[in-house]
Each structure stands twice: as structure tokens, then as C-alpha cells.
């Protein structure tokens, strides 16, 4: 099999930024070099956006928003038509986008094709329909008269995306924001910038008016400048809890609305009647625990196993982890690709060393896979004999590392699941859906699945505790970009 570590083996060099529907020269001279996690070799570079570039992008978004005959003033149906054109243009480029994401962050191409290529156009069409369907809202008043509740777009949005699902998580923001009539500046993460140029091309081909979407790749400094920019009305952030806390502080000081989708350390709760045959549960277990090389915020990396079946759960997970095909992310057979960066690989390995040092027993993986010396690979790793106080049970590793923690009763399982700073995702596995639902209802989390997990566009997605504030997706995701005004008649 031929494996190409950059799509079409091309080196991609971009020299401009997409601001105001034009390809403009950057204000600075720095560049972001993108390195393949499969090979460690450079595969492209783009301008490193500076605060001055953010200023230009915000000015373009501001001008577009403040023009009463522009985007924010259009009937919802016209904006919806533009979003559908953008969805079509995205679809026309979806294979390239999936390949670029995979080439940059190590996401297996099979995963990229099912998620990164699918969520954005799905959300664009969903929010186009939802915004179009919002009619007048007039309510009978309790003290006589009527009240008209008007929804207006919130303004200019600063959207900051992480590298793990760069396209999907950007679309969680721009699809509802644009449908609501907001305009937006998107700052992609430095690790995944090449795909953002294809999104800009799609926006240009769809004929989105000048300034409606502006894209400035950059690092923390550019991100922080965007968050506190006086021309911004709302911040939408997905990333680490540490960065989210800093952003929340800034937004608190400015009284600026903010949505924060942050880290996780969710629980995979296996009840004592659960089906454990990998032939039937393997695919769903993969999505719930290891998808995208463990670099997914909602994964249930703490596996809670009933003591009566503890050894069986460990054996199943050990076989599951050992069965994974590890390799170049662009190979369609790959299930586990490399970690996104060398630094991140080192971090994941540090956690594995710590798990060992704290007495955890490795039953699968624990090292680097043989024969894959060039990229930043880590074997899927299973730790048995750990409890919920271990560092690897408490901190987000963001790699393919699972801890199996024993429990006695369903109530214990719930207590252990809730004994975490985080509350984002998780799953409950049981042959009895009502029992699983009862356990799921008691877990402190923003989302949870019963024997499967997939964020559904129609339902709010987000976290509790240190996993974030606010919700994306669903009608709630649209409301997050709208001001409400009550007119008492
Ligand atoms: P990160 O916080 O390092 O970076 C995320 C983005 O924020 C990047 O674009 C980065 O340049 C920018 N940034 C960093 N510091 C900033 C600051 N002070 N001000 C403004 N912008 C700043 O996170 P990452 O390593 O790219 O992503 C991994 C993290 O994201 C994990 O913790 C993961 O759980 C989390 N995540 C959460 C969700 C969710 O929906 N809850 C989804 C995916 C990832």
C-alpha cells in the first residue's frame, strides 16, 4: 500500500490571510510551520497571525455586522441560502479537508472522513433551517396586553478552535453564529491551519459577503488579543481548561458573553449485566474511549468495572487495545494514528510513566509501537489496578490511555464517576436500557451515551464543572448567538 503523509505529497505554502473576503498580505513576517505527525517532516506553512491581523479581521467583521443592509439585516431566508451554498462548497472539498486534517493532527483518515467532513455541512444546513423557521414570537401577557420577544444577532464573534477536531469545532461556532446574523473572526490552532484555507476557499466560492467570516491562523497571543478586542461582542472557545479559565477571566472583566468547551475526564460505566463481546460492541467502544487517538474531549478514559466482572473487563479492553491497527493517519486501515505533536507525545508518555510509578499494572501497550520510528506514536495503553485517586484517573491525558477502576454497586459507580473536576461526556453500558438511563441521569455531566456515544447536532453539547460553560449545538446553540428583546405592548 502506498501511504502519502501529505495529501498528494505536496508542500503547501500560503502567503495571505482571508480577511474581508479578500486574500490579503499579513501585517507580520512570522510563519507557522506545520509538521506531519506521521513523519516529523514539514508539510506546509502559513503566516503567523499577529494582533494587527486580528485588528484587520475584527474591523472587517465589524463593518459587515454594522451595515444595516448587510448580513445582519438580511432576512433569515437569504442568510440560510448562503449557508446552504457554503455547505455545498464544503461538500465539494470534503475529501481534501479530511486529508489535510489527518495529515496535520494524526487523526485517522477514516475518522476524519466520518466526522470532520460531515459535521460542518450538516450543521450549516441544520442551522439554516432552524434560523429560517424562527417566526415572530408574541405572547399573551400575564398582566394584560402582549409581549413580543425579538431575537437579534449578538454581534461580532471571536471564535477560537483547538487542533483535535479543527473543522468540526469551528463549525459548532460559525454555523449557528452566521445563521443568527452574526459575523465572525476564526482563529484556528497553529497545529491545524492548512485546512482553514480550504474553508476560506469554500466561503469565497459560496459568495459569502465581505467580512462575514474572516480567518487568522495564530497562537496564544493572537487568540488573547481577539478575546479582549473592543470590537468583539462574544467569544466562543474550545480548548484546554487552563486557557478557558484565562479567557473566562478576561470576559468576566469585560462582561462579554462567552461559551467555553473545555477538557474532560469522563467515565465509561460498565454495569454488571453489560454485553462485552467485542464483535458486537467494538465499534461503539472505540468511539466512546479511543477515537482520534484518544485526543477527543468527551472520551470515557476512566473505565468503571464492577468487581464481579473486573478481570473480564480488563481482558476485553486489553484485547481491544491490542487489536488496534496503528499507523500512518492517511492509511484507510489505520485506527490509531500518531499524537498531534512531539511535545504532546512526550506529555502522554509522561502520564504513562506516572501511572506505572503510582502502581498501575499495564495490561496493553505502554510504549511506542515497533517499526514506526519517524512519527509520534504511542500504543493504546490499558492500566489495571488503579483507583480514582491516581494521577492518570484525575488528569486529562488526551491520548490513548485507559484506566480500569473497580466498583461495588451502581451507586458506587455513580459516585466515582462524579468524583472528578470534569463533567463532559461518558457512557453507560448495560443490557437494560432503563437501568443504564437511571445511572446516566445521576452522572454529573453535560452529555452521556447509553452503550454508544455520538454528539448529535440537534441536542445541546457542553460540559459542567471544569469542562466548560454554555452549550453548543441544538436550538440552544443558535440562542447563544442571539440577543433577546421583550417589547411589552
Ligand atoms: P489549547 O487550550 O492549548 O488551545 C486551544 C486554542 O486556544 C488554540 O487555538 C490556541 O491557540 C488558543 N489559545 C490558547 N491559549 C489562549 C489564550 N490564553 N487566549 C486565547 N486563545 C488561546 O487546547 P488544545 O491543546 O488545542 O486542545 C486540546 C484541549 O481542548 C483539551 O483539553 C480538550 O479536552 C479540549 N477540547 C474540548 C472540547 C469540548 O467540546 N469540550 C472539544 C475538543 C477539545
Amino acid at each position: 500500500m502506498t501511504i502519502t503523509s501529505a495529501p498528494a505529497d505536496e508542500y503547501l505554502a500560503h502567503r495571505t490571510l482571508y480577511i474581508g473576503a479578500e486574500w490579503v498580505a499579513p501585517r507580520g513576517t512570522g510563519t507557522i510551520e506545520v509538521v506531519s505527525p506521521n513523519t516529523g517532516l514539514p508539510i506546509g506553512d502559513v503566516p503567523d497571525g499577529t494582533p494587527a491581523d486580528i485588528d484587520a479581521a475584527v474591523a472587517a467583521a465589524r463593518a459587515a455586522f454594522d451595515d444595516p443592509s448587510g448580513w445582519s439585516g438580511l432576512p433569515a431566508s437569504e442568510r440560510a441560502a448562503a449557508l446552504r451554498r457554503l455547505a455545498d462548497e464544503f461538500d465539494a472539498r470534503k475529501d481534501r479537508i479530511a486529508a489535510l486534517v489527518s495529515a496535520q493532527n494524526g487523526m485517522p483518515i477514516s475518522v476524519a472522513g466520518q466526522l470532520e467532513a460531515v459535521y460542518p455541512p450538516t450543521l450549516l444546513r441544520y442551522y439554516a433551517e432552524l434560523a429560517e423557521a424562527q417566526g415572530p414570537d408574541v405572547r399573551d401577557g400575564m398582566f394584560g396586553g402582549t409581549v413580543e420577544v425579538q431575537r437579534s444577532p449578538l454581534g461580532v464573534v471571536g471564535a477560537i478552535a483547538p487542533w483535535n477536531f479543527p473543522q468540526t469545532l469551528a463549525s459548532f461556532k460559525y454555523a449557528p453564529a452566521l445563521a443568527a446574523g452574526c459575523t465572525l473572526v476564526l482563529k484556528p490552532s497553529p497545529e491545524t491551519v492548512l485546512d482553514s484555507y480550504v474553508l476560506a476557499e469554500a466561503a469565497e466560492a459560496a459568495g459569502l459577503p465581505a467580512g462575514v467570516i474572516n480567518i487568522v491562523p495564530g497562537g496564544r497571543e493572537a487568540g488573547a488579543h481577539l478575546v479582549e478586542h473592543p470590537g468583539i461582542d462574544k467569544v466562543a472557545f474550545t480548548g484546554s481548561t487552563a486557557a478557558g479559565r484565562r479567557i473566562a477571566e478576561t470576559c468576566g472583566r469585560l462582561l462579554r458573553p462567552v461559551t467555553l468547551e473545555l477538557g474532560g475526564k469522563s467515565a465509561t460505566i460498565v454495569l454488571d449485566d453489560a454485553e462485552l463481546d467485542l464483535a458486537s460492541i467494538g465499534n461503539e467502544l472505540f468511539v466512546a474511549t479511543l477515537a482520534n487517538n484518544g485526543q477527543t474531549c468527551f472520551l470515557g478514559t476512566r473505565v468503571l468495572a464492577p468487581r464481579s466482572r473486573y478481570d473480564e473487563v480488563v481482558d476485553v479492553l486489553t484485547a481491544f487495545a491490542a487489536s488496534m491497527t496503528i499507523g500512518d493517519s492517511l492509511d484507510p486501515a489505520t485506527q490509531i494514528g500518531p499524537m498531534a505533536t512531539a511535545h504532546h507525545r512526550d506529555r502522554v508518555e509522561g502520564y504513562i510513566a506516572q501511572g506505572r510509578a503510582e502502581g498501575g499494572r499495564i495490561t496493553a501497550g505502554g510504549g511506542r509501537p515497533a517499526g514506526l520510528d519517524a512519527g509520534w506514536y504511542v500504543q493504546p495503553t490499558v492500566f489495571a489496578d488503579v483507583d480514582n485517586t491516581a494521577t492518570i484517573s484525575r488528569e486529562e491525558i488526551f491520548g490513548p490511555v485507559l484506566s480500569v477502576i473497580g466498583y461495588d454497586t451502581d451507586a458506587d459507580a455513580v459516585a466515582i464517576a462524579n468524583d472528578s473536576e470534569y463533567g463532559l461526556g461518558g457512557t453507560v453500558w448495560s443490557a437494560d436500557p432503563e437501568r443504564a438511563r437511571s445511572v446516566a441521569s445521576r452522572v454529573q455531566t453535560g452529555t452521556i451515551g447509553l452503550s454508544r456515544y455520538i454528539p448529535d447536532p440537534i441536542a445541546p453539547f457542553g460540559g459542567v464543572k471544569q469542562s466548560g460553560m454554555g452549550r453548543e449545538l441544538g436550538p440552544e446553540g443558535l440562542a447563544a448567538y442571539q440577543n433577546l428583546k421583550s417589547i411589552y405592548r
Side-chain angles (χ1 to χ4, degrees), residues 160-164 169 187-190 218-220 223-224 227 237-241 243 246-247 261-264 297 396 398 424 461 467:
I160 298 178
W163 49 260
N164 66 332
L169 296 170
K187 192 205 75 67
S189 196
R220 277 180 194 195
V227 167
F237 173 77
T238 301
S240 62
T241 295
R246 280 194 290 277
I247 289 169
E261 302 284 5
L262 309 177
C297 52
E396 182 181 49
F398 225 53
L424 183 60
F461 178 85
S467 291

Side-chain angles (χ1 to χ4, degrees), residues 131-188:
E132 221 172 16
Q134 280 188 328
D137 180 352
V138 180
R139 308 174 188 182
D140 286 334
M142 292 185 75
F143 302 124
T146 56
V147 182
E148 180 190 347
V149 181
Q150 291 184 338
R151 290 180 169 74
S152 59
L154 207 57
V156 177
V157 176
I160 298 178
W163 49 260
N164 66 332
F165 288 94
Q167 288 288 328
T168 297
L169 296 170
S171 74
F172 277 29
K173 298 160 184 51
Y174 68 69
L178 300 191
C182 297
T183 60
L184 179 132
V185 176
L186 170 66
K187 192 205 75 67

Side-chain angles (χ1 to χ4, degrees), residues 353-373:
Q354 183 139 10
R356 257 199 193 103
E358 290 180 17
R361 174 168 60 94
I362 291 181
T363 65
R368 298 181 182 180
L372 289 169
D373 301 328

Side-chain angles (χ1 to χ4, degrees), residues 177-203:
L178 300 191
C182 297
T183 60
L184 179 132
V185 176
L186 170 66
K187 192 205 75 67
S189 196
E191 294 80 2
T192 43
V193 285
L194 300 175
D195 54 297
S196 74
Y197 280 80
V198 188
L199 174 63
E201 281 168 32

Side-chain angles (χ1 to χ4, degrees), residues 23 66-67 78:
W23 298 94
D66 290 344
D67 174 2
E78 284 187 39

Side-chain angles (χ1 to χ4, degrees), residues 45-422:
D45 64 78
V46 307
D48 188 2
T50 59
D53 296 311
I54 294 285
D55 290 345
V58 173
R62 189 80 255 165
F65 185 81
D66 290 344
D67 174 2
S69 62
W71 185 254
S72 58
L74 290 180
S77 58
E78 284 187 39
R79 287 198 297 265
L83 295 195
R84 291 189 182 104
R85 291 198 304 275
L86 178 55
D88 292 344
E89 295 296 342
F90 189 103
D91 278 341
R93 295 164 176 79
K94 67 179 168 41
D95 292 343
R96 178 154 179 78
I97 287 179
L100 280 173
V101 171
S102 174
Q104 293 171 100
N105 71 1
M107 179 186 299
I109 188 68
S110 58
V111 174
Q114 288 176 55
L115 301 180
E116 289 285 276
V118 171
Y119 269 100
T122 303
L123 293 188
L124 283 165
R125 294 188 178 107
Y126 170 69
Y127 280 112
E129 195 177 323
L130 213 58
E132 221 172 16
Q134 280 188 328
D137 180 352
V138 180
R139 308 174 188 182
D140 286 334
M142 292 185 75
F143 302 124
T146 56
V147 182
E148 180 190 347
V149 181
Q150 291 184 338
R151 290 180 169 74
S152 59
L154 207 57
V156 177
V157 176
I160 298 178
W163 49 260
N164 66 332
F165 288 94
Q167 288 288 328
T168 297
L169 296 170
S171 74
F172 277 29
K173 298 160 184 51
Y174 68 69
L178 300 191
C182 297
T183 60
L184 179 132
V185 176
L186 170 66
K187 192 205 75 67
S189 196
E191 294 80 2
T192 43
V193 285
L194 300 175
D195 54 297
S196 74
Y197 280 80
V198 188
L199 174 63
E201 281 168 32
E204 184 179 40
L208 289 194
V212 168
I213 185 164
N214 311 275
I215 305 180
V216 181
R220 277 180 194 195
E221 194 195 352
H225 189 70
L226 179 60
V227 167
E228 64 188 352
H229 201 290
I232 290 288
D233 300 301
K234 157 149 185 148
V235 174
F237 173 77
T238 301
S240 62
T241 295
R245 185 171 284 116
R246 280 194 290 277
I247 289 169
E249 284 167 5
T250 303
C251 290
R253 176 166 46 81
L254 298 171
L255 288 180
R256 180 164 291 171
V258 59
T259 308
L260 300 168
E261 302 284 5
L262 309 177
K265 190 73 196 179
S266 302
T268 297
I269 304 178
V270 181
L271 298 184
D272 59 12
D273 63 350
E275 158 82 83
L276 287 178
D277 178 10
L278 278 179
S280 52
I281 66 164
N283 285 340
E284 302 298 351
L285 190 63
F286 177 75
V287 179
T289 60
L290 285 179
N292 194 19
N293 322 328
Q295 301 172 144
T296 307
C297 52
F298 59 69
L299 294 180
T301 50
R302 292 183 294 147
V303 180
L304 310 191
R307 291 208 197 281
S308 58
R309 297 181 73 188
Y310 186 85
D311 291 343
E312 191 186 345
V313 172
V314 170
D315 288 348
V316 166
L317 287 175
T318 303
F320 174 61
S323 74
M324 290 291 136
T325 304
I326 309 172
D328 189 303
S329 62
L330 287 153
D331 183 339
T334 290
Q335 292 168 292
I336 300 285
M339 300 293 92
T341 62
H343 173 74
H344 187 51
R345 190 262 316 266
D346 294 348
R347 192 173 164 273
V348 172
E349 288 183 337
Y351 276 114
I352 293 174
Q354 183 139 10
R356 257 199 193 103
E358 290 180 17
R361 174 168 60 94
I362 291 181
T363 65
R368 298 181 182 180
L372 289 169
D373 301 328
W376 303 314
Y377 295 92
V378 176
Q379 288 176 312
T381 298
V382 177
F383 274 97
D385 301 344
V386 283
D387 66 21
N388 200 45
T389 64
T391 304
I392 57 166
S393 305
R394 304 214 69 82
E395 297 185 9
E396 182 181 49
I397 299 173
F398 225 53
V401 183
L402 305 178
S403 330
V404 191
I405 300 166
Y407 72 85
D408 293 312
T409 63
D410 288 9
D412 291 337
V414 170
I416 295 169
N418 290 342
D419 178 14
S420 171
E421 288 183 354
Y422 296 107

